[in-house]
Amino acid sequence: IVTGVQTCALPIYTPTPPAADTSDSSSTSGQEKGAGAALLVGETTATSAGTFEAISATEVAYTASSSAAKVSIPATVTVGGQTYKVTSIGNRAFKGNKKVSTVTVGSNVETIGASAFQGCTKLSKVTLDKSLETIGANAFKGCVALKTVKLPANVRAVAKGAFQGCTKLSKVTLDKSLEKIGASAFRGCTSLASVTVPAHVRTIGKSAYQGCRKLKSITLKTQKLAAKTVGANAFKGTPTNATVKCGKKLTAYKKFLVKKGMSKKASFTK
């Protein structure tokens, strides 16, 4: 069928055909991108798996939560016939979500943005993949139902306020590659009973463990801390009967840890 092309004149008269009936046209307004129609950087799209924003020609960020209680962030998503890696969870993506209870983070996700899960009061379980590198400030702040956390090996820092106010958080596993625990990272985690600070940690921010009133067992495998790299009130409000294992730097550690809020009555050992 050729449309809009004038043919050679014929010697026989041919009457003009009636206009085609377009009432059953298959075209629709607001239709989805056709195959091969790439997302522009900054463009968003909603799918059954959630809402995504293009951050490059090949990658997208998960930017808005669904209403489901159990959420699985996919490793990839296909839009307009093209497949994109899901490499991040955007800032505030789930903030204030009162329904989500379980989250599994996809195998391509490298970054969890600031306040991504802040205030998700029913979130009790999060599974983090080994690809994860960065957890943003306040990412899980106020997740009062969260019980355990295991950080993957590629996470080098726990950001400011990342798990602040997670009142049911009783177990935290920090990988040996960790280098920094940010300010207020675990502040107010009132169920946290023990912590092992890995050997490469150089910095513990101010108020990092403030108000952790059940934190009776503290093991400092790191020998890289100093008075200037441990923030004010880092251990304020921890139990008076806490046991603190300091390793070879027992004398030096005891001196400045007490100044950072740890009780003088705590038991300091090698």
Side-chain angles (χ1 to χ4, degrees), residues 9-257:
L10 298 176
I12 301 174
Y13 170 74
T14 303
T16 303
D21 182 5
T22 60
S23 61
D24 292 327
S25 172
S26 60
S27 64
T28 58
S29 61
Q31 68 186 74
E32 295 181 3
K33 282 181 173 290
L39 290 171
L40 301 176
V41 173
E43 186 177 3
T44 62
T45 184
T47 74
S48 59
T51 301
F52 300 86
E53 178 181 342
I55 56 178
S56 76
T58 59
E59 301 176 356
V60 295
Y62 189 107
T63 58
S65 63
S66 67
S67 59
K70 295 183 178 181
V71 176
S72 180
I73 309 297
T76 60
V77 64
T78 300
V79 179
Q82 296 197 31
T83 299
Y84 300 84
K85 286 185 177 181
V86 182
T87 57
S88 64
I89 299 172
N91 297 342
R92 300 175 295 279
F94 288 83
K95 185 177 181 180
N97 186 312
K98 305 301 182 184
K99 294 183 178 180
V100 64
S101 61
T102 302
V103 172
T104 300
V105 177
S107 59
N108 287 323
V109 173
E110 298 173 355
T111 302
I112 295 177
S115 300
F117 295 94
Q118 183 175 343
C120 294
T121 53
K122 291 187 178 179
L123 182 60
S124 61
K125 183 179 180 181
V126 175
T127 303
L128 305 176
D129 194 85
K130 62 183 179 180
S131 61
L132 187 66
E133 297 178 0
T134 303
I135 298 176
N138 304 317
F140 295 93
K141 183 178 180 179
C143 292
V144 295
L146 190 62
K147 297 177 181 178
T148 64
V149 170
K150 182 177 181 181
L151 299 186
N154 289 329
V155 176
R156 297 290 192 268
V158 181
K160 178 181 178 181
F163 298 96
Q164 182 177 347
C166 295
T167 53
K168 288 189 178 179
L169 187 62
S170 60
K171 183 178 180 181
V172 176
T173 303
L174 304 176
D175 192 83
K176 62 183 180 180
S177 61
L178 191 72
E179 297 175 0
K180 179 181 179 179
I181 298 172
S184 299
F186 297 99
R187 183 174 183 172
C189 292
T190 53
S191 296
L192 191 61
S194 66
V195 65
T196 297
V197 178
H200 294 294
V201 172
R202 297 176 179 272
T203 304
I204 298 177
K206 63 181 181 180
S207 301
Y209 291 97
Q210 184 173 346
C212 295
R213 58 176 182 254
K214 291 186 179 180
L215 188 56
K216 292 183 178 182
S217 176
I218 302 169
T219 300
L220 301 173
K221 288 189 174 182
T222 177
Q223 299 295 292
K224 298 179 180 181
L225 298 175
K228 64 182 180 180
T229 64
V230 178
N233 302 316
F235 294 94
K236 185 177 181 179
T238 53
T240 58
N241 61 343
T243 298
V244 187
K245 295 182 180 180
C246 302
K248 296 178 181 179
K249 293 188 175 182
L250 173 60
T251 303
Y253 274 23
K254 180 179 179 179
K255 184 177 180 180
F256 72 72
L257 288 174

